[in-house]
Amino acid sequence: MQHGPVVRRRKLGAELRALRTSAGITSGEAARLVGWHQSKVSRIETGTSGAKPADVRLLLDAYGVADGELRELLVVLAGSEDASGRHHWWHAYRGVLPPTYRDFISLESQASAMRTLETTVVPGLLQTPEYARAVTRAAVDGQPENRLNTLVEVRLARQDVLRADPPLELNAVLDEAVLRREVGGPGVMARQLIRLVEAARLPHVRLQVLPFSAGAHIGVTGPFVIFSFPSTSDLDVVVLDHLTSSLHLERKEDLEAYTEAFNALLIHALSPEDSLDYIAATAAGA
């Protein structure tokens, strides 16, 4: 288990090394093509040192990589710029957001699919503004109102990935506790449940409720997120959130273990159709 930036450097380096090898270019030849010393290429490929977005673009040009989607993803792994050299929207919040949160947002913005188990609160991508404010206030209790407003603004801005073209494919398992925990009061919770019903009807959103009657299950160890990417499964990553940091797991064994765990949860959860009915019924009684 490692913190996100380290994992990203290593993933980026491994992918660049694979692309160089596929192009039939040695590390020495790559260095000459971009005007560097060979040791810099080696440090980037091993993840020993980071690469700037401009460095990645140079290497991708040298390797003849024309896939725009792959270029965009690798540039994002290098920093806060997109493939055109423009800063991503969350760069404007760098003074407020901790690095691990910025890292999570960048992965979320480039992922093609997200599988998540939520055991406590509604996924951030599906929260109403009122619910998001109540959750954020509880998480950063005692913080100035302007910082609270900024954090809520960021959470809502993240939801644009569900309106993108193509949108993020969201597959979420919600423990029944998520529906029952009264966050922000009865009115806020009632409107949040209605929002979940609306989201569950979207073609790219799949919600399944894990009822209390399922008893003990593999998800009792806590929530997790699995990000999948469009161009290569080698960049898939599991994210575990903690109070003060996030951990990223990217070993093949870790990915397989969490994928199996998620699939096991789907077996115990209500079907998407029954889950929709269950959420609607809970909203009607809220």
Side-chain angles (χ1 to χ4, degrees):
M1 295 187 293
Q2 301 183 57
H3 292 285
V6 175
V7 173
R8 290 175 61 183
R9 283 204 307 270
R10 194 151 66 86
K11 283 181 171 291
L12 174 62
E15 188 66 19
L16 289 172
R17 182 171 61 251
L19 290 170
R20 174 179 60 74
T21 302
S22 178
I25 298 173
T26 66
S27 59
E29 290 169 340
R32 287 192 294 274
L33 286 171
V34 297
W36 298 344
H37 192 280
Q38 184 177 353
S39 62
K40 180 174 180 177
V41 175
S42 297
R43 288 196 304 272
I44 290 174
E45 290 187 351
T46 58
T48 305
S49 64
K52 297 178 182 178
D55 294 338
V56 174
R57 284 190 283 269
L58 276 175
L59 291 173
L60 294 177
D61 288 343
Y63 304 157
V65 178
D67 185 333
E69 199 169 49
L70 179 58
R71 290 178 67 98
E72 174 80 9
L73 176 57
L74 296 180
V75 168
V76 166
L77 286 178
S80 60
E81 297 177 7
D82 63 17
S84 302
R86 298 184 298 268
H87 284 304
H88 290 287
W89 63 265
W90 59 87
H91 182 76
Y93 299 96
R94 62 193 181 280
V96 178
L97 305 180
T100 52
Y101 191 18
R102 296 200 303 270
D103 196 62
F104 182 90
I105 294 173
S106 67
L107 291 172
E108 184 179 71
S109 72
Q110 291 302 311
S112 58
M114 173 180 173
R115 287 165 286 175
T116 181
L117 164 68
E118 292 292 348
T119 59
T120 308
V121 297
V122 169
L125 295 182
L126 302 178
Q127 292 177 5
T128 65
E130 297 169 298
Y131 187 99
R133 179 171 293 277
V135 168
T136 305
R137 188 183 297 278
V140 295
D141 186 35
Q143 293 294 319
E145 193 70 15
N146 63 336
R147 185 168 188 269
L148 174 65
N149 293 337
T150 299
L151 292 174
V152 173
E153 184 178 307
V154 169
R155 181 161 297 205
L156 298 178
R158 286 171 46 202
Q159 298 178 1
D160 283 345
V161 295
L162 295 177
R163 296 183 284 267
D165 183 21
L168 175 75
E169 297 284 339
L170 175 62
N171 190 347
V173 173
L174 309 180
D175 191 278
E176 185 175 348
V178 172
L179 308 181
R180 301 295 181 184
R181 178 168 287 101
E182 198 174 89
V183 174
V188 170
M189 198 63 205
R191 288 185 287 275
Q192 177 61 71
L193 291 174
I194 292 172
R195 168 70 181 119
L196 285 179
V197 171
E198 294 169 348
R201 293 184 175 131
L202 296 173
H204 54 284
V205 175
R206 180 188 178 99
L207 300 183
Q208 290 184 246
V209 175
L210 193 62
F212 289 147
S213 59
H217 52 76
I218 197 167
V220 296
T221 55
F224 59 85
V225 175
I226 305 173
F227 285 121
S228 298
F229 296 89
S231 298
T232 172
S233 62
D234 290 341
L235 294 173
D236 291 359
V237 63
V238 176
V239 181
L240 306 178
D241 256 343
H242 297 276
L243 182 61
T244 58
S245 65
S246 295
L247 290 175
H248 294 57
L249 291 75
E250 42 75 40
R251 295 183 309 163
K252 183 179 179 181
E253 314 87 275
D254 295 326
L255 288 164
E256 289 178 349
Y258 276 86
T259 296
E260 289 176 6
F262 190 81
N263 291 338
L265 291 170
L266 295 180
I267 295 173
H268 295 288
L270 301 177
S271 69
E273 296 75 20
D274 289 343
S275 295
L276 176 57
D277 292 341
Y278 195 88
I279 297 171
T282 306

